[in-house]
Amino acid sequence: MTPGGEVLTRRSIPKVGGVSLANDIINSDLMQSHAKRDNVAFKVAKMMDAIADGSLTYGRKYDFSSVFPGLLENWFNGLMDGITTAANDYLADVTNIMLIGGCANLVRQKLSAKPGFYIPVNPQLSNIQALLAM
């Protein structure tokens, strides 16, 4: 985005969104040990709900809060690498990068001190709001 709010390009960066983070949690040693012990298959959508509601607990008994900070940091670094790669052709013109989607709030605090990043108030609704505005 330019300082005036003009959108220069729109990009979706696959494999770095909330689904990626949920899969990282599911594939962690902790969750895999639970899966083997209890013969349970963790679902991405339910894992994303546990991230979104802040409980960091899948269902009522699978707490993943101990592995979440490290996985979140790795996910964030992958996200930033993905943004840099995707926006590389535009970096000379880009002044703002807007992050939308359900997991954008997970990085709000981390990016608040970095100029050039914008996360709307309800980033999980941004795609719907854009469609309604058309």
Side-chain angles (χ1 to χ4, degrees):
M1 296 172 62
T2 66
E6 177 190 353
V7 175
L8 296 174
T9 186
R10 288 180 164 93
R11 291 279 175 111
S12 177
I13 305 171
K15 300 182 182 173
V16 295
V19 171
S20 175
L21 177 58
N23 276 316
D24 289 348
I25 296 166
I26 289 169
N27 292 320
S28 70
D29 291 342
L30 172 68
M31 297 307 281
Q32 286 302 299
S33 69
H34 292 313
K36 287 177 185 168
R37 183 190 69 215
D38 297 341
N39 195 29
V40 63
F42 296 111
K43 306 291 184 205
V44 170
K46 193 166 182 174
M47 184 63 71
M48 290 178 72
D49 289 344
I51 296 167
D53 69 20
S55 68
L56 304 183
T57 303
Y58 185 99
R60 294 185 180 197
K61 67 180 192 175
Y62 300 107
D63 182 311
F64 57 90
S65 61
S66 64
V67 298
F68 187 71
L71 293 172
L72 180 63
E73 184 67 25
N74 289 341
W75 175 77
F76 175 77
N77 292 334
L79 175 68
M80 296 308 291
D81 289 345
I83 289 170
T84 302
T85 300
N88 193 42
D89 293 342
Y90 303 95
L91 289 178
D93 299 316
V94 170
T95 56
N96 294 296
I97 295 174
M98 179 169 58
L99 302 176
I100 60 171
C103 287
N105 280 324
L106 293 174
V107 296
R108 182 182 297 280
Q109 184 176 8
K110 195 168 203 118
L111 291 177
S112 65
K114 288 187 173 220
F117 288 92
Y118 171 69
I119 300 173
V121 175
N122 292 309
Q124 69 279 15
L125 303 176
S126 295
N127 287 337
I128 296 169
Q129 291 169 335
L131 288 173
L132 295 175
M134 295 177 104

